[in-house]
Amino acid sequence: MKFNTKTIHGGQQHDPSTGAVMPPIYQTSTYAQKSPGDHKGYEYSRTANPTRTALENAFASIENGKFGLAFGSGMAAIDCVIKLLSPGDEVVSTNDLYGGTFRIFTEIFENYGIKFHFIGMENAANIENYITDKTKLIWVETPTNPMMNIIDIKAASIVAKKHNVMLAVDNTFATPYLQTPLDLGADIVMHSATKYLGGHSDVVMGALIVKDKELADKLYFIQNSCGAICGPMDSFLVLRGIKTLHIRMQRHCENGTQVAHFLADHPKVEKVYWPGFESHPNHEIAKEQMKDFGGMISFTTKGNNIKDTYKIIENLKIFTLAESLGGVESLSGHPASMTHASIPKEEREKTGVVDSLIRLSVGIEDIDDLLADLDQALSLI
Ligand SMILES: Cc1ncc(COP(=O)(O)O)c(C=O)c1O
């Protein structure tokens, strides 16, 4: 199946008991057994639930993996990956990443004896300099949040394979519509399914997808043991979201392209971060590993004045000022005080997250309305 068919049918079957085309919301915690161990594949919903199974199969299908796992949030999915490690193990992570990921690494897992190296990965060969005999995992986010840096997944996987360490890619921003990291050599794909996969800002969820059975079994064991699963209603919502992922992403990319160029040409705008520009670092790699450039854009205004920044985000009318991204509606965000507030100022400024940076999640509304909204807000400074 091609991607646009997989989003609708991948890993799906009609409900075996009723023929329902969409999997029912199996709002149940437990399942009847004829005699101990004699059941229809389901025992208890922490371990497996039919609605969640349908979603997990869809995850595996759209990412070209074999096994999918759904969690109560993106953070719960990350938590599951790091629980593969033991005290003394080391992780090499990109230094420009979602603030919550930085927080769980440094404030939770460092306390359990896991060491994290945060490095620039614009040149993937740099990763090798931080690999020791204790390194077990390379953690990549691409495009990164919020600077839209592009990391060469294939090159990172060559380093990972050479040193026999796992490569995990947070594919939240790109989605499998734009890139499929498992095809480029990654071992684990992670998503905040809260974002584009869900697509409607109505659910919080995380996902992991892998190809290898042994790795999948370890992750299922942690998922079941620690219990950070999502419920059947949320599973249903994300499954429904995935069915339109391809058409939503196409429009996000079309609108994103127009917004990026509009901002780049605007006299009040200083810098625009969007991987579709030829001048964007690693644009050539983006062109190679991504199908298009997405609807996530960050920009700064001339003068780098925080008051101007607040004026813009407070006065945007269609772009709602809110955490999160990837929904049908356009959102604006202020990384320094919102998504990245948990990263110390000196640390975040090193990667470009200055006080005047605004991040846009360009939605799928009419492009004329989006450009007019940005124009009126920028005219106020
Ligand atoms: C790139 C990225 N990874 C992970 C997460 C965490 O996901 P969640 O909020 O679903 O726990 C987010 C959330 O914003 C994110 O943007």
Side-chain angles (χ1 to χ4, degrees):
M1 275 188 240
K2 297 261 177 66
F3 184 77
N4 294 353
T5 311
K6 279 187 186 178
T7 55
I8 296 163
H9 298 292
Q12 301 306 298
Q13 54 170 10
H14 301 145
D15 180 55
S17 56
T18 62
V21 169
M22 261 310 269
I25 301 160
Y26 278 93
Q27 196 69 52
T28 185
S29 61
T30 191
Y31 306 81
Q33 307 193 14
K34 267 195 190 148
S35 89
D38 181 1
H39 52 72
K40 296 183 175 166
Y42 294 92
E43 295 163 89
Y44 185 60
S45 282
R46 171 160 35 74
T47 316
N49 168 286
T51 320
R52 197 174 91 224
T53 301
L55 172 67
E56 291 178 329
N57 291 340
F59 283 155
S61 171
I62 58 175
E63 281 287 2
N64 295 341
K66 288 207 176 114
F67 306 95
L69 298 94
F71 295 86
S73 68
M75 293 318 302
I78 296 172
D79 177 75
C80 182
V81 173
I82 305 301
K83 282 175 176 161
L84 291 167
L85 309 182
S86 304
D89 287 348
E90 295 187 11
V91 179
V92 182
S93 167
T94 176
N95 60 3
D96 175 23
L97 81 170
Y98 172 59
T101 310
F102 181 82
R103 182 176 57 195
I104 196 173
F105 286 176
T106 55
E107 296 196 34
I108 305 291
F109 284 110
E110 276 185 0
N111 293 336
Y112 290 85
I114 295 165
K115 189 168 172 190
F116 294 86
H117 301 272
F118 296 96
I119 65 162
M121 291 188 178
E122 302 75 45
N123 174 7
N126 188 30
I127 300 172
E128 197 153 17
N129 299 329
Y130 293 84
I131 303 251
T132 72
D133 55 359
K134 295 184 179 134
T135 310
K136 293 284 159 41
L137 176 70
I138 299 170
W139 186 272
V140 163
E141 206 181 289
T142 181
T144 61
N145 179 6
M147 301 312 296
M148 313 301 154
N149 285 320
I150 300 296
I151 295 166
D152 187 339
I153 299 172
K154 211 186 268 176
S157 89
I158 290 169
V159 177
K161 286 193 170 53
K162 181 171 162 195
H163 295 277
N164 200 22
V165 304
M166 285 181 294
L167 171 65
V169 176
D170 182 335
N171 206 24
T172 300
F173 269 38
T175 83
Y177 176 81
L178 296 178
Q179 72 190 11
T180 44
L182 296 178
D183 294 334
L184 300 170
D187 301 288
I188 302 175
V189 167
M190 176 263 149
H191 277 276
S192 168
T194 315
K195 312 295 171 5
Y196 287 106
L197 299 190
H200 297 76
S201 305
D202 52 8
V203 64
V204 173
M205 188 185 286
L208 296 178
I209 302 102
V210 301
K211 274 184 171 166
D212 181 71
K213 166 96 171 67
E214 202 180 316
L215 178 56
D217 285 343
K218 285 183 190 162
L219 293 167
Y220 283 126
F221 181 79
I222 298 167
Q223 183 195 38
N224 184 40
S225 304
C226 298
I229 46 128
C230 52
M233 179 69 199
D234 288 354
S235 300
F236 171 84
L237 285 172
V238 173
L239 195 53
R240 182 165 68 168
I242 288 173
K243 289 184 192 287
T244 55
L245 178 66
H246 51 304
I247 47 174
R248 285 187 286 109
M249 285 308 292
Q250 185 181 345
R251 181 63 68 84
H252 283 298
C253 291
E254 287 165 10
N255 283 357
T257 304
Q258 294 217 44
V259 168
H261 283 96
F262 169 84
L263 291 172
D265 292 341
H266 200 284
K268 304 258 176 82
V269 171
E270 176 79 38
K271 264 191 179 168
V272 184
Y273 300 91
W274 181 67
F277 290 130
E278 269 176 34
S279 57
H280 191 82
N282 282 350
H283 168 72
E284 286 305 317
I285 293 163
K287 249 169 69 179
E288 202 171 310
Q289 73 186 14
M290 296 169 76
K291 183 174 155 190
D292 206 331
F293 303 109
M296 294 302 300
I297 300 166
S298 293
F299 71 100
T300 54
T301 42
K302 286 192 177 141
N304 266 348
N305 180 341
I306 183 99
K307 281 194 184 141
D308 288 345
T309 311
Y310 271 65
K311 199 176 253 178
I312 295 167
I313 52 185
E314 283 169 4
N315 284 286
L316 282 165
K317 305 229 163 7
I318 296 178
F319 284 84
T320 304
L321 175 62
E323 301 269 0
S324 204
L325 61 111
V328 288
E329 65 291 303
S330 292
L331 299 181
S332 68
H334 183 235
S337 64
M338 296 167 78
T339 45
H340 290 63
S342 54
I343 303 181
K345 189 173 161 75
E346 322 80 71
E347 209 54 48
R348 67 173 156 78
E349 288 199 337
K350 272 191 228 158
T351 61
V353 185
V354 294
D355 285 347
S356 70
L357 190 80
I358 295 173
R359 190 190 75 181
L360 300 179
S361 171
V362 180
I364 62 171
E365 301 94 336
D366 191 285
I367 187 62
D368 292 344
D369 291 332
L370 295 182
L371 298 183
D373 192 27
L374 288 165
D375 202 31
Q376 64 79 21
L378 280 163
S379 74
L380 300 173
I381 64 168

